[in-house]
Amino acid sequence: MTTPALLPLSGRRIPPLNLGPPSFPHHRATLRLSEKFILLLILSAFITLCFGAFFFLPDSSKHKRFDLGLEDVLIPHVDAKGAKSSGVFLIHGPDEHRHREEEERLRNKIRADHEKALEEAKEKLRKSREEIRAEIQTEKNKVVQEMKIKEKKPLPPVPIPNLVGINGGDPEDNDIREKREKIKEMMKHAWDNYRTYGWGHNELRPIARKGHSTNIFGSSQMGATIVDALDTLYIMGLHAEFLDGQRWIEDNLDFSVNSEVSVFEVNIRFIGGLLAAYYLSGEEIFKIKAVQLAEKLLPAFNTPTGIPWAMVNLKSGVGRNWGWASAGSSILAEFGTLHMEFVHLSYLTGDLVYYKKVMHIRKLLQKMDRPNGLYPNYLNPRTGRWGQYHTSVGGLGDSFYEYLLKAWLMSDKTDHEARRMYDDAVEAIEKHLIKKSRGGLVFIGEWKNGHLEKKMGHLACFAGGMFALGADGSRMDKAGHYLELGAEIARTCHESYDRTALKLGPESFKFDGAVEAVAVRQAEKYYILRPEVIETYWYLWRFTHDPRYRQWGWEAALAIEKYCRVSGGFSGVKDVYSSIPTHDDVQQSFFLAETLKYLYLLFSGDDLLPLDHWVFNTEAHPLPVLHLANTTLSGNPAVR
Ligand code: DMJ
């Protein structure tokens, strides 16, 4: 059956447009279209009428302009006597003629515009569906192109800090060199398998040989492993792999996604990873991506107190907190672990917004009462009050303390406020949380509801390195004491590894009567390729050069190789006390970012990333010390 064609005013045939579902009868679509067309004409006539009326009616809108006090700027209406009309629109003599001419000109313009719009509408209706689609696609491509050009626009140049020791560290000793090579081979194995089976996904399932993700990364594939691993690849000299990762980031890493991510995790892994990759390689793209992502995180700070939400939707900017957190609270270790990256963002962009956000958090924390001088892990971002009184140097608290110390180090030791807060916090921790077991092991417990729980998490083992790093510059010259404390924590954490069947540490271990440094509950016996114990060995190695730390690190590397390595990568294990490992089938991104990096550094010379020039963020991404001597960040000439 042929479809009757419409014969519009212009006399040209308009092919019927069928935009309804496929089963929709064709002639009904045509009929709808003609109705639309008539409506369009009526609408156009109505608009013309309105415009006309607008210019013929007494000019009430101009009264509004006087009300705004802008009359002198907009139209200087002066009456015949030269007095200001104070709101009355008076027209006389030659002025009247000029106004009539002006109105006529405007009327003609409106008529011409209207006819042009009508012609364009008719033209559109003449086009086939395919032609319209093609036009839309062309428009879309244009917008994407424009966005890409905008994305590549370089940020204002700033003086790059002195980047010392981004290469090298070759050990003189053969045995050490071989060990270092072995760690590099492990990195290759982890990366290559991710490249083959998980490319672009956040993480890898090395046994199922496919991509993996968790809710911290949201619902989209953001290549977390690529971003997290970049600087490790760089310092190991795996340049082809680094370039491969860089290309993926250039072409695929997009933050305009409808995805709800953890502000903390995305900051430490993505922003930290991108900034470190930028400083090491000098490639502008990493800086640009870091800033794009940071902008997406900013809406998380829109809370009544300025304490950010734990999660934010990258597209809508809507934030919220974890359902499990005490009374809708934000988490100390999350909102307290943004400082390093945000200060660098302000430094690199010249935009103080990032610096202000984190300084606001610090100021707010300073003003608050602290039970026993301890910081509880939960803080409500609506009320600004603490949630449950639970204090921990492990999960939920850990990196907050770490970032106080590192803010001071990163500022070239000029941020005295941060150092003071760190010293106060460590004194309270020592007084209330650090104990010695009957067997002589020093451990860090957790403060819960008014009593000390004699349990230490694997995460808290990082504190051995932190105490050693903070020894220099401590109050009353207690450097020796803090170095010793760091060494004691390292020994305890080593024991937690040594007392298992696999020589890998459990997630959490107890000090209860006869039980020392051993996990009791089944749910705490797993090892997920975490770095904290090896991190502490590395810091202590750098400060003491005691060979035991290299030896302990090597034991851990061998255990990982033996029990966690599978043909498709590396996997965590579910029970470190069982001699036959059951794998959890996850290769965590921090295994490449941290565990393997700290092992590699442990078997490298101290000239690779020296600690007086670099400060490692909590995900082991090295950021250079900013030598802003005798000035605040806002006084920095790099900040405009
Ligand atoms: C890492 O993502 C970071 O080290 C973080 O601070 C806490 N833990 C994991 C690794 O265990």
Side-chain angles (χ1 to χ4, degrees), residues 326-523:
S326 160
S329 292
S330 300
I331 308 293
L332 182 69
E334 298 197 331
F335 64 77
T337 309
L338 304 167
H339 194 99
M340 292 180 70
E341 297 79 5
F342 275 45
V343 168
H344 270 275
L345 287 164
S346 278
Y347 178 78
L348 291 172
T349 59
D351 188 346
L352 282 178
V353 65
Y354 308 103
Y355 175 76
K356 284 182 181 162
K357 297 282 180 214
V358 288
M359 285 311 284
H360 176 79
I361 296 174
R362 183 193 285 181
K363 295 289 173 207
L364 199 136
L365 287 175
Q366 270 182 328
K367 275 193 253 152
M368 295 189 63
D369 280 340
R370 299 195 304 278
N372 290 327
L374 296 169
Y375 289 90
N377 291 335
Y378 299 105
L379 180 58
N380 189 313
R382 292 184 202 274
T383 62
R385 292 206 199 97
W386 298 119
Q388 190 195 354
Y389 280 5
H390 172 202
T391 297
S392 154
V393 181
L396 307 180
D398 48 7
S399 43
F400 162 68
Y401 306 101
E402 177 185 355
Y403 270 36
L404 290 177
L405 174 64
K406 290 182 174 176
W408 174 69
L409 290 168
M410 205 184 77
S411 70
D412 198 17
K413 303 185 180 174
T414 58
D415 185 349
H416 302 295
E417 184 180 71
R419 177 76 216 204
R420 238 185 346 263
M421 287 173 78
Y422 171 77
D423 286 337
D424 289 345
V426 167
E427 276 173 22
I429 287 166
E430 249 202 292
K431 191 164 167 202
H432 298 288
L433 305 185
I434 297 187
K435 300 280 169 235
K436 195 177 243 180
S437 73
R438 278 201 222 151
L441 294 177
V442 175
F443 66 94
I444 314 176
E446 299 196 1
W447 192 258
K448 251 186 196 166
N449 305 324
H451 83 279
L452 186 76
E453 213 179 331
K454 293 180 180 171
K455 186 170 100 173
M456 184 167 172
H458 190 289
L459 289 166
C461 286
F462 95 94
M466 178 177 76
F467 293 141
L469 185 64
D472 187 27
S474 57
R475 268 182 202 155
M476 294 179 293
D477 198 20
K478 284 171 77 181
H481 166 75
Y482 285 115
L483 205 54
E484 185 50 36
L485 182 60
E488 288 293 344
I489 299 296
R491 185 166 82 91
T492 301
C493 293
H494 174 254
E495 284 302 312
S496 79
Y497 273 50
D498 209 41
R499 295 176 186 194
T500 70
L502 304 185
K503 303 292 173 199
L504 291 168
E507 181 65 3
S508 178
F509 41 92
K510 285 219 153 190
F511 296 86
D512 220 353
V515 175
E516 296 213 339
V518 171
V520 180
R521 291 172 49 208
Q522 190 57 36

Side-chain angles (χ1 to χ4, degrees), residues 61-74 87:
S61 63
K62 283 172 188 159
H63 291 256
K64 273 191 194 142
R65 282 196 279 204
F66 292 151
D67 292 340
L68 291 170
L70 298 174
E71 65 272 36
D72 293 337
V73 184
L74 295 170

Side-chain angles (χ1 to χ4, degrees), residues 142-205:
K142 225 170 89 191
V143 172
V144 170
Q145 276 312 320
E146 278 166 7
M147 276 173 69
K148 279 203 171 150
I149 291 166
K150 204 173 139 213
E151 278 183 12
K152 293 224 164 111
K153 222 174 120 201
L155 293 164
V158 291
I160 292 299
N162 200 6
L163 303 178
V164 177
I166 58 176
N167 296 302
D170 297 333
E172 281 168 20
D173 185 295
N174 263 343
D175 173 54
I176 301 299
R177 192 172 318 121
E178 273 170 28
K179 285 177 171 142
R180 186 165 102 136
E181 274 307 301
K182 177 63 198 165
I183 305 299
K184 185 170 165 178
E185 186 279 328
M186 290 166 78
M187 179 71 183
K188 265 280 291 146
H189 182 68
W191 174 265
D192 287 348
N193 278 290
Y194 167 76
R195 178 70 180 88
T196 309
Y197 303 114
W199 195 233
H201 289 266
N202 289 317
E203 293 177 319
L204 169 71
R205 284 199 179 280

Side-chain angles (χ1 to χ4, degrees), residues 264-265 268-269 398-399 459 530-532 590 594 618-619:
F264 158 76
E265 296 288 356
I268 65 168
R269 301 189 200 213
D398 48 7
S399 43
L459 289 166
R530 285 200 192 277
E532 290 76 15
F590 55 66
E594 298 191 72
T618 193
E619 188 79 0

